[in-house]
Amino acid sequence: MVDQDLLERVIRLDDVARRELRDAIDRSLPAEVTPNLAALLDALIADADAHPEQRVPWETIRDRTRAKIAEAKKRA
């Protein structure tokens, strides 16, 4: 059960402080990897290992993402 006084104090924090608190709490918890997620990750890794010629360098992904963000900002 959450202490109601503590909860009220947290809710009164500004957005930035609440996000920082949320992130700190998330970092303090163990990662939750479900069996389905573990199986999916294993399959993706196996596929990537089986087809190294299809790998995309990080720099390419970064540059494409930056271009998409820049384009979205122009449309906004």
Side-chain angles (χ1 to χ4, degrees), residues 32-45:
E32 295 179 25
V33 178
T34 65
N36 287 344
L37 178 56
L40 174 61
L41 293 173
D42 288 342
L44 291 170
I45 290 169

Side-chain angles (χ1 to χ4, degrees), residues 38-71:
L40 174 61
L41 293 173
D42 288 342
L44 291 170
I45 290 169
D47 185 60
D49 289 343
H51 304 285
E53 71 282 357
Q54 295 178 357
R55 291 185 181 146
V56 179
W58 159 243
E59 294 79 9
T60 302
I61 295 169
R62 180 197 60 212
D63 294 345
R64 288 178 186 166
T65 303
R66 286 180 175 166
K68 287 180 181 181
I69 291 169
E71 185 61 34

Side-chain angles (χ1 to χ4, degrees), residues 2-13 18:
V2 174
D3 179 304
Q4 289 302 310
D5 291 333
L6 176 59
L7 181 58
E8 290 173 15
R9 288 174 43 207
V10 168
I11 290 171
R12 284 193 302 265
L13 294 171
R18 285 198 322 269

